[in-house]
Amino acid sequence: MSDDFIREIINEHNTAGRFDGRVHTRFPPEPNGYLHIGHAKSIFINFTLAKEYGGKCNLRFDDTNPAKEDQEYVDAIKENVRWLGFKWDAEFFASDYYEQLYDWAAQLIKAGKAYVDDLNDAEIREYRGTNAGSRLQAGKGATPPGKNSPFRDRSVAENLDLFARMRAGEFPDGSKTLRAKIDMAHPNLNMRDPVMYRILRATHHRTGDQWCIYPMYDFTHGQSDSLEGITHSICTLEFENHRPLYDWYLNELNLYHPQQIEFARLNLTYTVLSKRRLLTLVKENHVRGWDDPRLPTLAGFRRRGYTPAAIRNFCLKIGVAKTDSRVDLALLEFCLREDLNRSARRLMGVLRPLKIVITNYPADREEFLDAVNNPEDPAAGSRKIPFSRELYIERDDFMENPPKKFFRLSVGAEVRLRYAYFIKCEEAIKDAAGNVVELRCAYDEATRGGDAPDGRKVKGTLHWVSVKHAVAAEARLYDRLFTVENPDGERDNWLNCLNPQSLEIIPEIYAEPAVKELGAAEKFQFERVGYFSVDKDATPQKPVFNLAVTLKDGGAKKDIDRAK
Ligand code: ATP
Ligand code: MG
């Protein structure tokens, strides 16, 4: 059971009897945006660990910044977690703990461990030496000590009075803060008298205007974990140097003390996973909303046609580590293909149609051919596909001047039409501009649904749709959102790296009639093209399909590359 470092830590705790062998985790999103695939990793880790050890996992909204948070996000987050297939044991909000946190802050004041400061934001930064800190992170030498605030030595009585008046709304926003009194020379900047409370008049989505002071993340998180009896507080690496502070608050308040454990956050190629950046993409209309199928949000993946099983399997495959890395988008796509290959029914649809006429097939005839619904799942059965004299095939399945190994159609060549007959192309009809607009072909009746009785072979098999039975639909093809592997590495230039071709809408594709039976959001395969899903914009008159993933690796619609 110890195939990663988190399980090793838990096993050690269990051996030592810490937490009485309990495992209680939590997923603590801030409701200031939609969840993305990085959050899925965190959800997966927290929920699967709890399950594996027979423990519990809470959902806790870390709602301490009313200016950026919203009920819409709370609802979306809950829906996403459920969709991923996880059930939380209890649901909490950090805002439920505001009164308790306030009391604890007062307790620290009384112990001489916290003070009200009149310095403003910029001054606090300057006194702490934040800039020097970034030099340190860049490896340019030790951080010089910070400077004590002139308000650091206020008396307990004065601090208590000022803190109460902060709460009562006597002071303007930003004019005072409550700070922990730790050590302004501490090598870890987070320990240089961190801010515990700020004054902020913003309506909170749950507590309304009840509060005008709000606790900071660091002063909230550990105590929330403690109140809920969390054992292992699993978070991403950027909190590693906040852990001393997490521990400090719990120790000074003498509270039950969970163990914080950090792991590397997920980064994915060709996309961004920061809520701030995702918000920019949505608000500035670079995409069509939070559930745009190009976004790495769970809502986007869901709409695109990703399955919860594919995402869970992806999380399992990437595992947990201590060093940051960027995972190849191709791995996620592989997981989706693997899942849909098993479960999705096959249909035929032509994205970029070229009409063919079977000259020796009677104009008034139609027949219904047997087609397998899913070769991976015999229980899925079969269906009938209409065949007639006029068909659509994919435009790029025909070439006027084919290269040597082109096994699809060209004048004089013979191919198989999937589930139907061998056809031989006899003539390409062109328009005045010289574009091929129609093919004339002949079919061999003896090859219906199988091989030629004379043993002759063809190498190519094409998908097709009967013109008179075709259902018109809109197809939305998606490509990577960014043209570079690591848009985060582009800093302020990241928006210039958006892929202008990330969405291609084909207003009219043609599909076999069975597409009418597809359920809402159903995923299916258009044979030789890719996996698709029914989009929520679909109407009974006009189906709309999203390209979820191509059949082969490559990750881009330009790579839609048919079996030769
Ligand atoms: P972002 O940095 O994208 O804005 P966040 O960390 O502010 O996200 P939270 O709502 O605070 O988002 O995250 C909830 C939990 O999900 C936290 O425990 C956080 O560590 C974890 N998490 C966020 N992003 C990732 C990621 N890319 N990979 C793994 N876990 C993540
Ligand atoms: Mg966060």
Side-chain angles (χ1 to χ4, degrees):
M1 243 209 214
S2 60
D3 50 351
D4 64 60
F5 77 96
I6 298 184
R7 285 173 175 82
E8 259 167 40
I9 294 173
I10 295 178
N11 292 344
E12 274 168 31
H13 288 163
N14 286 350
T15 309
R18 191 164 165 199
F19 306 121
D20 305 321
R22 277 186 320 119
V23 171
H24 196 157
T25 57
R26 83 289 169 266
F27 172 62
E30 183 182 354
N32 62 349
Y34 278 59
L35 296 183
H36 53 60
I37 187 79
H39 295 115
K41 176 178 179 181
S42 173
I43 293 168
F44 182 81
I45 292 171
N46 281 293
F47 281 91
T48 53
L49 280 175
K51 186 162 181 206
E52 214 174 287
Y53 286 91
K56 290 184 173 167
C57 183
N58 293 355
L59 175 63
R60 184 197 319 134
F61 291 94
D62 205 342
D63 54 348
T64 52
N65 187 1
K68 298 212 165 134
E69 295 158 4
D70 203 87
Q71 186 62 37
E72 177 198 345
Y73 299 132
V74 172
D75 297 338
I77 288 169
K78 282 160 66 168
E79 196 185 326
N80 286 164
V81 177
R82 270 191 224 109
W83 175 74
L84 262 189
F86 297 107
K87 260 205 202 125
W88 48 95
D89 290 282
E91 175 182 323
F92 292 108
F93 291 81
S95 52
D96 293 338
Y97 309 138
Y98 281 172
E99 196 64 51
Q100 174 67 74
L101 289 166
Y102 180 86
D103 289 346
W104 278 331
Q107 190 181 321
L108 287 183
I109 294 175
K110 284 179 202 151
K113 302 281 183 180
Y115 62 97
V116 172
D117 196 356
D118 294 3
L119 295 184
N120 64 31
D121 259 8
E123 290 163 335
I124 289 179
R125 268 201 303 278
E126 189 195 323
Y127 276 62
R128 292 172 90 183
T130 305
N131 299 332
S134 44
R135 274 217 314 275
L136 176 68
Q137 276 152 17
K140 289 184 186 145
T143 330
K147 224 169 41 177
N148 285 355
S149 162
F151 305 97
R152 198 174 197 257
D153 294 319
R154 278 175 162 151
S155 70
V156 167
E158 187 184 2
N159 281 321
L160 278 176
D161 174 61
L162 287 173
F163 188 47
R165 287 163 60 196
M166 278 169 65
R167 176 180 183 169
E170 281 190 33
F171 309 115
D173 287 9
S175 62
K176 289 189 190 327
T177 57
L178 183 73
R179 296 179 70 180
K181 198 175 193 173
I182 305 181
D183 179 1
M184 288 303 287
H186 202 288
N188 181 343
L189 283 172
N190 293 311
M191 301 296 278
R192 293 187 180 180
D193 292 11
V195 173
M196 295 163 59
Y197 272 87
R198 63 211 193 283
I199 305 175
L200 176 68
R201 283 166 181 80
T203 303
H204 189 282
H205 59 102
R206 296 189 78 241
T207 57
D209 295 320
Q210 208 179 320
W211 294 85
C212 67
I213 57 171
Y214 290 95
M216 302 300 287
Y217 170 88
D218 282 321
F219 186 67
T220 309
H221 202 81
Q223 291 93 303
S224 304
D225 284 343
S226 180
L227 281 166
E228 293 171 22
I230 300 302
T231 55
H232 300 87
S233 179
I234 300 165
C235 60
T236 36
L237 277 182
E238 69 269 24
F239 293 103
E240 192 166 23
N241 57 9
H242 292 243
R243 181 162 20 109
L245 185 53
Y246 181 102
D247 292 338
W248 190 88
Y249 285 130
L250 293 174
N251 290 339
E252 293 301 326
L253 291 166
N254 200 17
L255 297 176
Y256 159 77
H257 200 140
Q259 174 69 52
Q260 179 179 307
I261 304 172
E262 309 87 12
F263 70 96
R265 64 193 293 124
L266 169 68
N267 298 298
L268 200 59
T269 55
Y270 300 104
T271 195
V272 291
L273 290 186
S274 126
K275 280 196 269 192
R276 195 170 46 81
R277 291 198 161 167
L278 294 173
L279 188 70
T280 304
L281 292 174
V282 172
K283 294 277 140 120
E284 294 182 4
N285 298 313
H286 298 290
V287 293
R288 305 163 143 197
W290 281 106
D291 65 351
D292 187 301
R294 290 167 289 179
L295 284 182
T297 54
L298 294 182
F301 281 122
R302 178 181 185 174
R303 184 167 177 187
R304 179 146 171 183
Y306 271 74
T307 58
I311 293 179
R312 288 195 305 263
N313 195 30
F314 170 75
C315 293
L316 182 69
K317 280 188 202 295
I318 58 176
V320 283
K322 265 277 189 197
T323 28
D324 278 315
S325 66
R326 193 164 286 272
V327 175
D328 197 334
L329 181 60
L331 180 62
L332 185 57
E333 296 184 330
F334 169 83
C335 292
L336 180 61
R337 257 182 229 119
E338 197 180 42
D339 187 29
L340 294 183
N341 180 44
R342 273 190 300 258
S343 61
R345 68 164 120 168
R346 274 60 166 172
L347 294 167
M348 289 207 285
V350 170
L351 263 49
R352 304 179 205 276
L354 175 63
K355 192 164 134 184
I356 69 174
V357 178
I358 315 279
T359 50
N360 57 342
Y361 195 91
D364 57 356
R365 191 165 143 200
E366 62 175 26
E367 60 189 309
F368 291 83
L369 305 167
D370 287 314
V372 174
N373 284 336
N374 184 350
E376 304 292 319
D377 176 15
S382 64
R383 67 187 187 285
K384 299 278 187 195
I385 314 181
F387 186 88
S388 64
R389 178 181 161 96
E390 295 190 346
L391 311 170
Y392 292 120
I393 63 164
E394 210 71 61
R395 180 161 284 279
D396 69 2
D397 277 337
F398 172 81
M399 275 185 99
E400 236 192 316
N401 302 300
K404 241 188 159 174
K405 293 214 162 165
F406 188 77
F407 298 122
R408 293 172 273 166
L409 213 49
S410 54
V411 176
E414 189 171 40
V415 296
R416 182 198 307 269
L417 291 180
R418 185 96 164 121
Y419 302 120
Y421 301 97
F422 285 15
I423 56 163
K424 189 167 186 175
C425 180
E426 295 177 326
E427 188 187 357
I429 312 285
K430 295 182 182 176
D431 64 10
N435 301 310
V436 174
V437 289
E438 191 181 298
L439 302 178
R440 298 283 159 86
C441 302
Y443 87 118
D444 176 357
E445 192 167 10
T447 57
R448 179 177 160 144
D451 292 325
D454 64 5
R456 90 186 178 276
K457 300 279 180 222
V458 291
K459 282 196 169 154
T461 298
L462 310 189
H463 60 279
W464 52 273
V465 169
S466 161
V467 171
K468 73 174 166 200
H469 302 92
V471 175
E474 176 179 318
R476 298 176 182 172
L477 309 185
Y478 304 103
D479 201 343
R480 319 170 152 136
L481 190 50
F482 289 89
T483 54
V484 294
E485 263 196 29
N486 178 10
D488 293 320
E490 300 291 322
R491 297 177 179 275
D492 292 344
N493 194 40
W494 68 284
L495 276 174
N496 296 327
C497 302
L498 277 167
N499 176 7
Q501 265 112 46
S502 60
L503 168 63
E504 182 192 357
I505 297 178
I506 308 183
E508 201 153 288
I509 68 159
Y510 297 113
E512 63 167 286
V515 294
K516 289 197 195 137
E517 296 154 22
L518 288 166
E522 185 172 341
K523 294 146 236 343
F524 61 96
Q525 184 193 102
F526 271 144
E527 292 201 39
R528 300 181 64 237
V529 180
Y531 291 101
F532 286 78
S533 67
V534 178
D535 190 77
K536 67 176 188 189
D537 289 346
T539 64
Q541 292 72 39
K542 185 79 181 252
V544 178
F545 302 135
N546 296 309
L547 173 64
V549 67
T550 53
L551 290 183
K552 287 206 261 167
D553 197 358
K557 69 172 189 294
K558 65 175 182 310
D559 299 323
I560 287 187
D561 184 16
R562 282 168 260 289
K564 311 254 153 69

